[in-house]
């Protein structure tokens, strides 16, 4: 996930995490949910100058990267 603006060269305003494919962890190769709140983004140190954040899935079993911009309702 990334705030706005994010600096890819330095990693500033970016948070990265690998997810397990364990069904009990809620993420599987069939799908899953990750719940994020405004407080979570703040706790991760992500900020946004325009209210827009970004998520990117780099790879899922060799798939192509995908990304999406989003806003968090408060």
């Amino acid at each position: 996930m990334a705030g706005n603006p994010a600096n890819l060269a330095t990693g500033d305003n970016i948070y990265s995490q690998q997810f397990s494919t364990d069904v009990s962890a809620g993420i599987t190769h069939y799908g899953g949910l990750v719940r994020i709140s405004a407080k979570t983004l703040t706790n991760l140190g992500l900020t946004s100058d325009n209210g827009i954040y970004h998520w990117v899935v780099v790879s899922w079993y060799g798939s192509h990267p995908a990304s999406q911009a989003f806003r968090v309702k408060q």
Side-chain angles (χ1 to χ4, degrees):
M1 290 188 307
N4 196 69
N7 187 325
L8 298 177
T10 64
D12 289 344
N13 212 16
I14 296 172
Y15 173 77
S16 178
Q17 180 174 340
Q18 291 186 353
F19 291 98
S20 169
T21 58
D22 182 352
V23 174
S24 65
I27 305 295
T28 73
H29 60 279
Y30 297 110
L33 294 175
V34 177
R35 299 189 188 277
I36 297 173
S37 67
K39 184 177 180 179
T40 300
L41 294 173
T42 300
N43 289 345
L44 293 174
L46 297 178
T47 60
S48 177
D49 61 0
N50 62 2
I52 296 175
Y53 294 86
H54 308 271
W55 63 257
V56 177
V57 175
V58 177
S59 177
W60 189 261
Y61 292 103
S63 65
H64 295 289
S67 65
Q68 185 68 45
F70 66 95
R71 290 183 190 267
V72 176
K73 292 183 178 182
Q74 300 216 17

